[in-house]
């Protein structure tokens, strides 16, 4: 992949134009936890490992991690992995620099800083449990970090990070980090491809994670960088070199994301008219086809319950029967024909490790209706309102009073309509079950057993399925649909090389895009 | 990394040769001249690759030329019948039990995939096996659903044979079917209590599979008397045959005094001569073979006749020098190296056993750096061995392994002396290694 030659002329027509509802989220790596923001973060944030798209929809490559900031994926062939798979040696790729002044190499210390930041008490990424379960000493580090107040200053946060080490992160020199694990982690390269694990430069110690101040001082290792003061604009990063980046290219003079309508039809009209190149944070696709090559479906949508009473949770789960799911499927398919939908009776969707076809589903147990009204929250975008309404109606028919509300920070809720997209699609046994088990203590010992036996697929699979069944039967999660894209995103006529990535929930990799200059 | 070269003009020199009856009494300095060693170098890495005797090189070259472009039938000599018989005798076994393979890995893989294992069967092995053993057992685990129990054995000067045997004995369950272990650890140099472990296996009715890569050419071993079912060896390490040679022993008859168990069910995967229809005769229960298992395993298409001849020549040379004599010599060199290393680096730096003679092999592994934490710094150990080679033409290697109770992957420098080394070379190497380690510490 090569960048445009420095002396090639660039015009404003080389700027990629995106538009859609909402605003880009904070690009601090630990704040990147939704596909739309991850799509933009990829422009400026590199991780130790990453994924590369492929125009062939049958290709396995987009789901396989490759070395990004790392020089190579650790293996026994490069002395990067030992026999027990509990020690991984990662050597950094030379020539990668921060867009600081002057440009400065990314070092092993930046890698460790990036991992340490995950445990801050102000804003913790949802993926943190994946790492605390594996990296030696990280759980203890994060437990201590959590004792700082949520309004701790940047100086206090940095002091904690400086004064405390994660025992299983060893910096051998500026270019080498060793990850020591408490259990074999066959998926560690995938974890270290998550945006939140990106290295952080020393400058970030001066800012509270996710703060407005940090937003104005973000640093880039990718081909583009946010323009300070213009959070929805990106310009080429002068510190980036194509020869040091096997994952991304740079073919544009800039990217912009403008506010746009939530209506997919209107966005599609603008794309076809060439007013914009691509929709952002919205489902706007070309003609639908069949999903190809066993794609990894998402659990999309589902209900996650925040109710202490087991009997009440079971009552909610029992009220959502196959008729309700069929109704939800009708809504989803009508509104988003670019996604293939299957009625879900289990948690792990098809195409993911541990999926069981013909899963028996939820086993009804003793249940009772709640004494008070339950609050069901949803994001308020796309089909959320209609799906939430359908579920609420089913619950009311079962004698459960429900109040609907759009999700808001700090709001109390009992049921959340949400979705779980696999952040990685290979070696991903724990992506769904571990994430849901984090909030439910009775399942955690089963999850621990599954992770401890990762090297033994038969034993591990049995444990994962036991955990999944327990989550279902205890009403921790109520699956509704499995869905996956079966249509490519709609792009304007001038866009070329629009490949998607499973790690971005099949959004387009903006770093691979080119635009034709002969088309306005 | 190896830079071993044929000495120029060796053909005109008075190189010792096999067959004239002199090797058995030749001095070690005379025997040194047998080998095509790179000048001004110290080769202490025979655990990775041995140095070929000139005669072995000549044999390989001559036989290659004899069989190039000819109209001869290449298949019979490719079965190495006479070579296998002769080599088998050297190791106390018969021709129908001996195979000339391509290397220890190939032999281990063919054994592992030929074992009659099913879902739920348990294999016990160690984390100190060659990676190819673990990868092949993992393949069987993924394919057939076996259970693999991987033990991490203790390391260090004070390890005792009884500890090793007890660790294995505790791990055995009613589902265990196979014990698979190394003969000599390539990582720590530990010599396993092989006979004792085989007797443990006999008591529990288990099949034994030994990775004997480092055994031939170093140990004067009677493979039948060890009591194992399978031993896969390298021909190109201490046996000093060409790269691409190995030896595989597959028990094919019952000698109760050595192994009372029935022959295990075994599938000789990769075989031209396995019947195309029907099955071979039932496996014997006596000391008389019912078929030639070695032939099944040996027949795998066209073979390099030169390769087999060269390995056979290496084995002949070893027989003439005397395998027991070689074992005594390498043991003495190993003890010399161990004592010098312990003096300079400290007993606490040693990963190889020392206190228990039964576990000592000539291979010695240790942490060369002053700081214990440098034992888990792969960059440092790599730089160390690279500088030894580049700056001092001393060839050793570094190894990596798990240590019980330690969260770290440990790294060690390892020397593997052989009969073309001597005490002065070892002293020189240890002095240089100590000085470099101090500089890097």
């Amino acid at each position: 992949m090569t960048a445009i030659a420095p002396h090639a002329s660039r015009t404003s027509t080389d700027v990629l134009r995106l538009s859609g509802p909402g605003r880009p989220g904070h690009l601090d790596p630990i704040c990147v936890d939704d596909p739309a923001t991850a799509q933009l973060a990829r422009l400026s944030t590199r991780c130790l490992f990453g994924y590369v798209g492929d125009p062939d929809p049958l290709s396995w490559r987009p789901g396989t991690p490759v070395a990004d900031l790392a020089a190579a994926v650790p293996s026994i062939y490069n002395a990067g992995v030992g026999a027990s798979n509990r020690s991984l040696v990662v050597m950094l790729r030379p020539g990668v620099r921060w867009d600081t002044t002057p440009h400065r190499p990314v070092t092993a210390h930046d890698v460790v800083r990036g991992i340490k930041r995950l445990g801050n008490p102000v804003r913790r990424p949802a993926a943190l449990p994946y790492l605390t379960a594996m990296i030696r000493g990280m759980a203890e580090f994060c437990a201590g970090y959590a004792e700082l107040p949520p309004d701790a200053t940047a100086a206090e946060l940095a002091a904690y990070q400086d004064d405390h080490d994660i025992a299983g992160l060893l910096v051998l020199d500026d270019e080498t980090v060793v990850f020591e694990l408490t259990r074999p982690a066959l998926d560690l390269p995938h974890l270290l491809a998550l945006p939140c694990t990106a290295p952080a430069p020393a400058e970030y110690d001066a800012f509270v994670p996710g703060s407005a101040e940090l937003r104005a001082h973000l640093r880039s290792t990718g081909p583009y960088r946010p323009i300070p003061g213009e959070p929805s604009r990106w310009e080429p990063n002068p510190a980036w070199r194509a020869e040091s980046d096997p994952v991304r290219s740079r073919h544009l003079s800039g990217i912009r994301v403008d506010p746009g309508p939530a209506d997919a039809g209107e966005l599609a009209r603008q794309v076809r008219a060439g007013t914009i190149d691509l929709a952002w944070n919205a489902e706007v696709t070309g003609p639908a086809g069949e999903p190809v090559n066993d794609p990894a479906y998402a659990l999309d949508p589902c209900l996650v319950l925040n109710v202490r009473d087991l009997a009440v949770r079971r009552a909610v789960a029992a009220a959502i029967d196959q008729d309700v799911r069929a109704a939800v499927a009708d809504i989803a398919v009508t509104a988003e024909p670019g996604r293939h939908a299957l009625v879900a009776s289990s948690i792990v969707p098809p195409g993911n490790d541990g999926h069981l076809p013909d899963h028996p589903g939820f086993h009804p147990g003793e249940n009772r209706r709640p004494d008070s009204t339950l609050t069901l929250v949803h994001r308020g975008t796309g089909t959320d309102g209609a799906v939430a309404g359908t579920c609420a109606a089913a619950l009311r028919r079962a004698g459960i009073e429900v109040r609907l509300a759009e999700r808001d920070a700090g709001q109390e809720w009992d049921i959340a309509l949400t979705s779980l997209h696999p952040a990685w699609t290979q070696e991903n046994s724990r992506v769904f079950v571990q994430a849901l088990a984090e909030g439910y203590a009775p399942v955690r010992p089963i999850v621990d057993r599954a992770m401890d036996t990762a090297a033994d697929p038969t034993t591990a699979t049995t444990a994962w399925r036991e955990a999944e069944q327990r989550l279902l039967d205890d009403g921790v999660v109520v699956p509704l649909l499995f869905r996956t894209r079966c249509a490519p995103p709609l792009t304007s006529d001038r866009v070329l090389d629009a490949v998607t990535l499973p790690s971005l929930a099949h959004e387009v990799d903006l770093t691979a895009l080119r635009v034709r200059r002969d088309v306005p | 990394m190896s830079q071993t070269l044929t000495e120029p003009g060796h053909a005109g020199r008075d190189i010792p040769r096999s067959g004239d009856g002199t090797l058995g009494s030749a001095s070690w300095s005379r025997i040194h001249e047998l080998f095509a060693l790179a000048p001004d170098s110290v080769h202490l890495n025979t655990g990775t690759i041995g140095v070929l005797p000139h005669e072995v090189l000549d044999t390989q070259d001559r036989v290659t030329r004899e069989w190039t472009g000819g109209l001869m039938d290449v298949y019979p000599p490719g079965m190495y019948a006479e070579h296998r018989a002769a080599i088998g005798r050297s190791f106390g076994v018969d021709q129908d039990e001996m195979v000339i393979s391509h290397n220890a890995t190939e032999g281990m893989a063919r054994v592992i995939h030929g074992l009659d294992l099913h879902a739920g069967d348990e294999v016990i092995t160690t984390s100190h096996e060659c990676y190819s053993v673990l990868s092949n057992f993992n393949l069987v685990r993924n394919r057939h659903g076996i259970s693999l129990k991987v033990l991490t054995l203790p390391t260090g000067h004070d390890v005792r044979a009884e500890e090793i045997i007890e660790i294995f004995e505790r791990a055995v369950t009613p589902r265990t079917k196979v014990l698979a272990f190394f003969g000599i650890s390539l990582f720590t140099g530990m010599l396993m209590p092989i006979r004792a472990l085989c007797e443990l296996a006999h008591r529990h009715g288990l099949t034994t599979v030994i990775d004997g890569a480092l055994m031939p050419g170093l140990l004067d071993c009677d493979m039948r008397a060890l009591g194992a079912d399978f031993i896969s060896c390298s021909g190109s390490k201490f046996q000093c045959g060409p790269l691409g040679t190995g030896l595989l022993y597959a028990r094919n008859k019952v000698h109760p005094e050595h192994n009372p168990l029935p022959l295990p069910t075994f599938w000789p995967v990769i075989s031209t001569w396995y019947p195309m229809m029907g099955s071979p005769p039932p496996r014997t229960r006596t000391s008389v073979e019912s078929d030639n298992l070695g032939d099944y395993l040996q027949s795998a298409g066209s073979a390099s006749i030169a390769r087999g001849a060269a390995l056979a020549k290496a084995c002949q040379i070893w027989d003439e020098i005397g395998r027991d004599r070689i074992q005594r010599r390498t043991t003495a060199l190993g003890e010399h190296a161990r004592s010098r290393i312990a003096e300079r680096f400290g007993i606490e730096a040693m990963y190889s056993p020392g206190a228990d003679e039964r576990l000592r092999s000539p291979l010695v592994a240790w942490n060369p750096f002053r700081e214990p934490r440098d034992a888990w710094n792969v960059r440092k150990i790599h730089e160390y061995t690279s500088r030894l080679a580049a700056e001092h033409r001393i060839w050793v290697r570094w190894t990596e392994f798990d240590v019980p109770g330690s969260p770290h992957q440990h790294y060690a420098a390892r020397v593997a002396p052989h009969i073309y080394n001597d005490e002065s070379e070892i002293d020189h190497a240890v002095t240089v290694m100590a000085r470099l380690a101090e500089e890097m510490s």
Side-chain angles (χ1 to χ4, degrees), chain A residues 82 84 91 136 176 180 455 457, chain B residues 141-142 377 379 402 407-409:
Chain A
S84 64
M91 299 190 194
R136 188 172 70 88
T176 314
E180 294 184 340
Chain B
R141 174 168 52 187
N142 288 340
N377 187 330
R379 298 278 290 219
D402 292 327
H408 312 294
Q409 176 91 123

Side-chain angles (χ1 to χ4, degrees), chain B residues 32 37-46 329 333 336-337 340 392-396 415-433:
Chain B
H32 175 92
L37 286 155
D40 302 323
S41 68
V42 179
H43 184 68
L44 288 171
N45 192 22
T46 304
R329 175 58 175 167
L333 289 173
H336 187 85
R340 288 294 180 271
H392 302 283
R393 290 179 66 76
I394 296 174
W395 272 267
V396 302
V415 295
H418 205 16
I419 56 175
Y420 34 73
N421 302 120
D422 61 28
E423 287 83 352
S424 64
E425 262 192 336
I426 293 171
D427 290 344
H428 163 70
V430 173
T431 299
V432 171
M433 288 190 286

Side-chain angles (χ1 to χ4, degrees), chain A residues 245-267:
Chain A
D245 192 339
V247 172
R248 297 162 193 73
S249 300
R250 185 169 67 201
H251 303 294
L252 308 169
S253 60
I255 297 100
R256 56 187 292 158
V257 180
D258 292 313
D263 179 65
E266 173 56 24
L267 285 169

Side-chain angles (χ1 to χ4, degrees), chain A residues 189-267:
Chain A
H190 291 283
L191 292 184
L192 297 175
L194 294 173
C196 61
T197 66
E203 286 81 357
Y204 283 14
D205 285 346
F207 305 102
V208 172
S211 64
E213 293 77 18
L214 177 55
R215 192 191 285 267
H217 291 88
L218 291 169
R219 297 268 62 91
S220 170
T221 50
Y224 303 92
R225 62 182 181 182
I227 300 176
E230 298 187 59
S232 302
R233 303 285 187 270
W234 283 259
E235 64 181 2
N237 174 10
W240 181 82
R241 293 289 176 269
E243 58 270 20
S244 70
D245 192 339
V247 172
R248 297 162 193 73
S249 300
R250 185 169 67 201
H251 303 294
L252 308 169
S253 60
I255 297 100
R256 56 187 292 158
V257 180
D258 292 313
D263 179 65
E266 173 56 24
L267 285 169

